[in-house]
Amino acid sequence: EARDFLEAVQEHYPQHYPFFLCGLRTGMRLGELIGLQWGDVDFRGGFIEVRRAYFKGRLVTPKNGKSRRIDMSRQLSDTLKTLRAARKREALAKGWGEVPEHVFINEVGKFLDGDNLRRRIFIPALSKAGMRKIRIHDLRHTFASLLIQQGESLAYVKDQMGHHSIQITVDTYGH
C-alpha cells in the first residue's frame, strides 16, 4: 500500500512526493513535516533532527517537548537533495532572493496548510492508488510498523518515533 500510494502521488502530485515520502520514511507528525527546516536535515550524517512543529499557525516544540534524531534512508536523502536543488532554482526564478528555510512549502514559499494538503492531495492520492481513506497520521503508524517488521528493536522504534517511554511504543505497536 505504501508503494502504491507513493506511486500515485509521484504520478499525479509530483511536487508533493518528497513530503509524503518523508512522512512514510521518518514517521514525522504532520506539524513536524510542515515545520521542518533545511538546517534540520543532515545529509552527511544521514539523519533529520526534529526540533519543531507547526501547530495552529505557529512553530512550537515537538509533542513531547524534546527534539529527536531520525535516521534517513538513502532514497529519502536523495529525494531531499533533489528537492533542495529544485528549491534553489525556484527561488531564483520567482525572485525570492533566497531559498525558504522550510523544506516543504506552498507555491508562494510559505507554510503548507495541512487541511488543504489533506483535502486536495492526500485523499485524492489515496483514491487514485485504490486505497481506503486513512489519516495522514497513519503514515506515522506505517513507519513504525515497517520498522518492527524489519526486526528493529522496540527501543530503536521508540527513539525514532520520539515516544516519551517505551511503554507507549509497546502499547501502540507491540502487537
Side-chain angles (χ1 to χ4, degrees):
E1 285 181 326
R3 183 176 49 250
D4 291 345
F5 171 71
L6 288 173
E7 286 174 2
V9 170
Q10 194 160 34
E11 180 180 346
H12 300 283
Y13 310 99
Q15 69 276 21
H16 295 288
Y17 176 79
F19 178 89
F20 289 112
L21 178 68
C22 192
L24 274 166
R25 296 288 185 260
T26 66
M28 292 170 67
R29 297 172 180 93
L30 176 61
E32 294 169 345
L33 288 163
I34 294 171
L36 183 65
Q37 296 178 359
W38 287 112
D40 304 330
V41 181
D42 186 329
F43 291 109
R44 186 169 292 152
F47 63 86
I48 293 173
E49 187 82 25
V50 179
R51 297 182 174 126
R52 73 195 63 73
Y54 186 74
F55 182 72
K56 294 187 178 182
R58 60 189 183 94
L59 292 172
V60 297
T61 59
K63 185 175 178 183
N64 70 356
K66 297 187 301 185
S67 65
R68 72 179 183 282
R69 185 177 285 193
I70 304 172
D71 295 330
M72 262 194 306
S73 69
R74 180 171 303 275
Q75 178 192 24
L76 178 57
S77 179
D78 291 346
T79 299
L80 291 178
K81 284 177 186 174
T82 301
L83 178 62
R84 187 175 59 173
R87 285 282 185 263
K88 289 178 182 177
R89 291 189 302 274
E90 182 180 19
L92 185 61
K94 292 184 176 181
W96 290 342
E98 59 185 36
V99 175
E101 66 184 340
H102 288 90
V103 175
F104 305 114
I105 55 175
N106 65 19
E107 52 281 339
V108 295
K110 303 297 181 193
F111 287 107
L112 289 173
D113 178 319
D115 291 332
N116 189 35
L117 183 75
R118 183 181 299 107
R119 189 176 52 257
R120 294 184 57 226
I121 307 299
F122 183 67
I123 292 172
L126 290 171
S127 179
K128 290 179 185 304
M131 296 172 58
R132 69 193 185 287
K133 188 174 174 184
I134 61 172
R135 305 166 302 157
I136 287 179
H137 194 75
D138 292 325
L139 301 179
R140 178 173 166 79
H141 295 303
T142 298
F143 170 72
S145 297
L146 290 172
L147 286 179
I148 293 169
Q149 272 185 342
Q150 294 167 12
E152 297 292 349
S153 72
L154 288 175
Y156 177 77
V157 175
K158 170 202 164 290
D159 291 342
Q160 294 293 289
M161 299 296 286
H163 289 154
H164 180 69
S165 72
I166 198 160
Q167 193 62 48
I168 294 169
T169 309
V170 171
D171 290 348
T172 307
Y173 303 106
H175 63 282

